[in-house]
């Protein structure tokens, strides 16, 4: 009887070890679920969005809804922060589907990564109005708070803006920093920047206008 119990315990421990090894070979990817601020957009269910992965023979090991932590851009039409998160094999990452511009529709769950990208609008306005802040100038805000900048670039915010003189161009100054510095950057007014996230554009109204 004792031998049987020892064998059973060994089997359980082996299962735990196997599970740990397996999880090390997996990664979580996510995409905003399509719900937008001001009641815009429509949330895509987990199962429906997962079809984009299974359609290219990516096995979804688990899925969950999660809130993207941190400050989200306060603008009508911006994501609410709700995301669909999927666990897949690391070997399947190259098969993640992309849109017509070649941008991956799912991105790695950045909150498990050692670094993140933060951003702030550069102040440029349509019709060449406004005074854009350079990457180097805005970087000084981060460095003054002892936040090390690993990389920087100007990127679009991915949001459809009104086509009107004086409206934002959507251009942001983006900086890659250590994840541990996120709260300090947030205190300076920076927001999380998730490059390449498709915000369920096929579900958004074509003629979107911001609400007051």
């Amino acid at each position: 009887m004792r031998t049987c119990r020892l064998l059973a315990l060994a089997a359980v421990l082996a299962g735990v070890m196997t599970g740990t090894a397996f999880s090390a070979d997996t990664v979580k990817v996510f995409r905003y679920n399509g719900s937008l601020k001001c009641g815009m957009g429509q949330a895509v269910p987990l199962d429906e969005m997962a079809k984009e992965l299974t359609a290219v023979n990516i096995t979804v090991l688990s899925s969950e809804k999660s809130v993207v932590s941190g400050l989200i851009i306060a603008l009508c039409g911006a994501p609410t922060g709700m995301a669909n998160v999927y666990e897949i094999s690391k070997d399947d990452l190259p098969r993640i589907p992309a849109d017509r511009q070649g941008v991956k529709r799912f991105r790695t769950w950045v909150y498990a990564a050692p670094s993140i990208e933060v951003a702030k609008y550069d102040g440029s306005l349509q019709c060449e109005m406004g005074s854009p802040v350079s990457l180097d100038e805005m970087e000084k805000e981060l460095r003054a708070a002892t936040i090390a900048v690993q990389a920087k670039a100007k990127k679009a915010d991915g949001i459809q803006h009104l086509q009107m003189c004086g409206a934002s161009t959507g251009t942001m100054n983006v900086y890659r920093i250590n994840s541990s510095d996120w709260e300090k950057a947030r205190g300076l007014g920076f927001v999380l920047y998730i490059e390449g996230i498709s915000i369920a554009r096929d579900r958004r109204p074509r003629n979107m206008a911001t609400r007051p």
Side-chain angles (χ1 to χ4, degrees):
M1 180 65 70
R2 184 177 180 182
T3 301
C4 291
R5 289 179 178 176
L6 289 174
L7 289 173
L9 178 59
V12 171
L13 291 174
V16 172
M17 291 177 68
T18 301
T20 301
F22 177 76
S23 63
D25 293 330
T26 66
V27 64
K28 287 187 176 181
V29 296
F30 80 106
R31 179 180 164 198
Y32 286 123
N33 72 355
S35 58
L36 307 176
K37 289 191 173 183
C38 302
M40 297 179 169
Q42 180 181 352
V44 181
L46 280 168
D47 292 344
E48 181 178 343
M49 189 178 289
K51 293 177 182 178
E52 295 187 38
L53 297 171
T54 57
V56 291
N57 298 318
I58 295 178
T59 300
V60 176
L61 304 171
S62 66
S63 62
E64 61 181 316
K65 287 186 176 294
S66 186
V67 179
V68 176
S69 62
L71 186 64
I72 303 298
I73 298 172
L75 181 70
C76 285
T80 60
M82 288 300 300
N84 290 345
V85 185
Y86 303 91
E87 183 181 11
I88 65 173
S89 169
K90 285 184 178 179
D91 293 337
D92 286 334
L93 278 175
R95 295 209 302 274
I96 292 288
D99 62 18
R100 295 179 180 178
Q101 287 73 43
V103 176
K104 295 289 187 179
R105 292 179 68 80
F106 294 83
R107 301 290 292 184
T108 303
W109 187 242
V110 295
Y111 308 103
S115 64
I116 58 173
E117 286 188 323
V118 297
K120 187 185 289 188
Y121 285 107
D122 72 352
S124 59
L125 304 176
Q126 294 180 40
C127 301
E128 298 183 356
M129 300 174 69
S131 300
V133 180
S134 69
L135 284 165
D136 291 340
E137 185 64 27
M138 190 176 290
E139 182 182 351
K140 293 177 182 178
E141 298 180 39
L142 296 169
R143 295 197 178 280
T146 66
I147 299 174
V149 174
Q150 302 170 13
K152 56 190 174 184
K154 284 187 177 286
K155 301 182 181 181
D157 63 2
I159 298 172
Q160 182 178 348
H161 293 266
L162 282 172
Q163 295 184 357
M164 180 177 67
C165 287
S168 173
T169 62
T171 302
M172 306 187 84
N173 287 343
V174 183
Y175 304 88
R176 178 163 292 279
I177 64 173
N178 292 326
S179 297
S180 57
D181 287 330
W182 159 234
E183 288 300 329
K184 288 195 292 185
R186 179 181 178 182
L188 296 173
F190 287 84
V191 298
L192 287 170
Y193 183 86
I194 311 300
E195 184 177 11
I197 286 296
S198 174
I199 313 173
R201 292 185 177 88
D202 53 330
R203 292 173 173 266
R204 297 174 63 183
R206 293 184 179 275
N207 298 316
M208 187 191 78
T210 55
R211 297 181 182 180

